[in-house]
Amino acid sequence: MSVFDTLKERGFIAQVTHENEIRELFDKEKVSFYIGFDPTADSLHVGHFLGMMVMAHMQQAGHRPICLIGGGTATVGDPSGKTDMRKMMTDEVIAHNCECFKKQMQRFIDFSDGKALMVNNGDWLKKLNYIEMLRDIGPHFSVNRMLTAECYKQRMEKGLTFLEFNYMIMQAYDFMELNHRYDCKLEMGGDDQWSNIIAGVELIRRKEAKAAFGLTFTLLTTSEGKKMGKTEKGALWLDPAKTSPYEFYQYWRNVTDADVEKCLALLTFLPMKEVKRLGSLQDQAINDAKKVLAFEVTKLIHGEAEALSAQQAAEALFNGTGNLDNVPTIELSEADFGLKLLDLLAREGVFASKSEGRRLIQQNGLSLQDEKITDVDFVLSKELFSEKSLLVKKGKKKYYRLVIA
RNA sequence: GGGUAGGUGCCCGAGUGGUUAAAGGGAGCAGACUGUAAAUCUGCCAACUUCGGUUUACGAUGGUUCGAAUCCAUCCCUGCCCA
């Protein structure tokens, strides 16, 4: 089966510029293709993960992924966030972020022997001479046409700065540059990148009279159309220091029924037959599919050992089997006894604020060893520790283990 | 540069001198129900609190007033129209 069909079958593909040619291209040569990542944080998140899955599938089929890190674009600051201009990032920070990205990507993408490349567009964008570039590629862009792009349409009402308008041109330029340097023929990206991608494809076709292609993949959204991968704390990070493997596991364990099949297809390498079987489970049985999903995705990101630990912790908490060692743990020192539980948990970040914690307790949302805590002033005493750890439950399914250090 | 409409809590959006920590909706959180699901219903949703309150908040800064998100001045930002 060709990769194209694999991607299609698994539901990755949203739009393609030239379906037949791309299909043919995939069959007859090793294609260099690229996906861009903006190094705006020191960790990738699930949004990026989808792109990496695409790269992994492609690499398995013998093609060459190029990870383009937007070091150049990040120095400018992408204004799409609007309200406040993103702070300019220093080269050191960007370099650091790139390193972090690479480490995380290495788990899925094989960078050895040039089987995949990682490049930074700062290498060429920063050297650009404005006049030269303008004369060079400016004539190939029609403003009239650019303005009809879907991504700008909505912005026409809200306001659009030149900086932002210019983004498409920079991205198109990137594609052309990669085409020169590495014979990169295909740009991929999330479906929101469609306009930017075709800008690059057209630039290469017009200016170089060479073939270039674009393909976008489905954005990871819930069945309600909301962006997936949001937790109460923000993004679902791939860095275990930012999102623990347990939290990560729980996120996937809790996706809604309707999203299970889609997630399995996009975020795991399970054969489609199995994906379909699991996705078709009904009612209680679909919980098994969610367990598989959570385990597989956690394994891909954090490795099998961590996935097993997370799974065990979950089993221990929700089924009462297995040990609790891997449950998120808060270590207490002698000095903590005598503190109000509320203060302690607020300090540890379990509650965003004391008010929130107080509210939660008043609403019966907190329990200690399965006993509801109803007293806001409940004090943590050493006598409570008849066993070596105490289990705190916040809300319906968030657990923390208190242990004496 | 001129004219004009605006800038309200996480987001959208009402509010034109006091009863407004600010309607309504969305998001989020908690409780009930369940399958660690969805839907539904209920409550909460600035921070701190000795639970009586206190302190911050309606673009920014000053001012008028017993009292301002609401009035005035200046400034910053955005849309639209004109140049």
Side-chain angles (χ1 to χ4, degrees):
Chain A
M1 188 177 195
S2 94
V3 226
F4 191 91
D5 292 315
T6 304
L7 293 177
K8 196 163 192 173
E9 183 186 29
R10 301 191 82 98
F12 281 102
I13 296 176
Q15 300 187 75
V16 275
T17 51
H18 311 73
E19 177 159 351
N20 293 335
E21 283 104 314
I22 292 175
R23 202 185 275 276
E24 207 177 299
L25 189 73
F26 282 0
D27 287 341
K28 75 167 201 267
E29 62 177 282
K30 306 288 178 211
V31 183
S32 291
F33 66 97
Y34 99 91
I35 298 182
F37 298 89
D38 266 351
T40 49
D42 59 5
S43 170
L44 296 162
H45 54 73
V46 275
H48 300 122
F49 179 45
L50 194 70
M52 293 198 291
M53 287 299 287
V54 174
M55 286 206 247
H57 279 290
M58 288 288 288
Q59 193 174 43
Q60 271 172 25
H63 303 293
R64 180 171 70 159
I66 301 173
C67 302
L68 177 74
I69 307 293
T73 28
T75 46
V76 175
D78 175 2
S80 330
K82 270 202 312 350
T83 46
D84 52 359
M85 190 94 126
R86 196 183 281 165
K87 39 254 152 249
M88 306 284 184
M89 304 178 77
T90 64
D91 291 346
E92 294 80 70
V93 173
I94 290 166
H96 172 251
N97 291 350
C98 289
E99 270 315 298
C100 296
F101 276 26
K102 189 164 185 175
K103 260 181 227 148
Q104 292 179 343
M105 284 176 177
Q106 271 163 349
R107 201 178 265 285
F108 312 91
I109 315 291
D110 180 5
F111 286 95
S112 66
D113 307 321
K115 279 184 229 144
L117 302 176
M118 177 174 273
V119 292
N120 187 331
N121 66 10
D123 292 351
W124 55 84
L125 286 182
K126 282 190 202 163
K127 287 189 216 139
L128 282 181
N129 172 302
Y130 192 66
I131 300 285
E132 268 174 34
M133 164 163 172
L134 211 51
R135 290 175 52 104
D136 188 25
I137 66 166
H140 300 286
F141 286 90
S142 151
V143 172
N144 313 45
R145 182 152 158 60
M146 280 172 79
L147 288 175
T148 61
E150 192 55 40
C151 62
Y152 292 137
K153 267 198 185 135
Q154 308 119 16
R155 301 307 241 87
M156 292 310 286
E157 287 142 38
K158 284 270 178 180
L160 182 70
T161 64
F162 185 67
L163 186 66
E164 192 163 12
F165 186 55
N166 206 19
Y167 216 76
M168 179 188 273
I169 293 176
M170 290 215 271
Q171 192 165 329
Y173 188 86
D174 280 343
F175 189 6
M176 190 173 75
E177 187 67 28
L178 291 172
N179 180 263
H180 289 166
R181 293 187 178 212
Y182 308 108
D183 194 29
C184 175
K185 290 184 181 158
L186 168 69
E187 176 175 0
M188 297 191 178
D191 200 35
D192 54 341
Q193 293 297 310
W194 178 246
S195 317
N196 295 333
I197 290 174
I198 45 181
V201 169
E202 286 179 9
L203 177 64
I204 293 173
R205 283 170 179 263
R206 269 204 277 266
K207 190 166 171 347
E208 318 279 324
K210 287 205 277 188
F213 308 93
L215 182 157
T216 58
F217 36 83
T218 328
L219 293 174
L220 195 60
T221 51
T222 65
S223 49
E224 281 126 34
K226 279 181 232 123
K227 253 200 193 143
M228 226 157 152
K230 286 289 201 64
T231 68
E232 58 193 315
K233 288 187 199 124
L236 194 66
W237 300 103
L238 304 196
D239 179 351
K242 286 175 176 276
T243 302
S244 73
Y246 171 78
E247 258 179 286
F248 191 83
Y249 178 95
Q250 280 298 306
Y251 182 86
W252 302 107
R253 175 61 187 82
N254 281 300
V255 298
T256 57
D257 293 5
D259 296 325
V260 176
E261 184 166 324
K262 180 175 175 180
C263 290
L264 281 167
L266 296 174
L267 304 174
T268 76
F269 290 105
L270 292 179
M272 277 312 281
K273 218 176 111 194
E274 181 66 357
V275 169
K276 290 222 171 87
R277 183 188 72 80
L278 289 167
S280 64
L281 294 174
Q282 293 296 311
D283 303 318
Q284 280 202 46
I286 201 166
N287 279 324
D288 293 334
K290 293 184 192 181
K291 281 180 198 164
V292 173
L293 172 67
F295 181 77
E296 290 295 324
V297 181
T298 308
K299 187 169 96 179
L300 281 174
I301 304 289
H302 298 295
E304 182 147 18
E306 289 292 350
L308 279 169
S309 297
Q311 190 181 46
Q312 271 171 21
E315 294 289 318
L317 291 169
F318 294 99
N319 290 345
T321 57
N323 69 61
L324 293 166
D325 293 349
N326 297 303
V327 174
T329 297
I330 295 168
E331 296 199 344
L332 304 178
S333 65
E334 287 293 330
D336 293 329
F337 295 107
L339 278 183
K340 284 182 194 168
L341 186 59
L342 172 67
D343 292 334
L344 180 84
L345 295 179
R347 189 191 74 195
E348 295 295 328
V350 173
F351 301 140
S353 68
K354 277 203 216 178
S355 315
E356 189 197 282
R358 206 174 277 123
R359 215 175 285 134
L360 198 88
I361 293 174
Q362 281 159 357
Q363 290 180 132
N364 274 325
L366 191 78
S367 43
L368 187 67
Q369 298 287 74
D370 279 331
E371 297 275 333
K372 293 270 185 213
I373 300 289
T374 48
D375 179 9
V376 174
D377 295 319
F378 184 87
V379 173
L380 194 66
S381 69
K382 199 162 186 177
E383 290 72 62
L384 290 165
F385 280 82
S386 51
E387 295 170 50
K388 68 172 181 173
S389 68
L390 289 178
L391 199 59
V392 173
K393 181 181 174 194
K394 173 194 163 195
K396 219 170 300 187
K397 51 195 178 195
K398 276 170 215 104
Y399 291 92
Y400 302 88
R401 201 169 60 117
L402 301 181
V403 298
I404 302 171

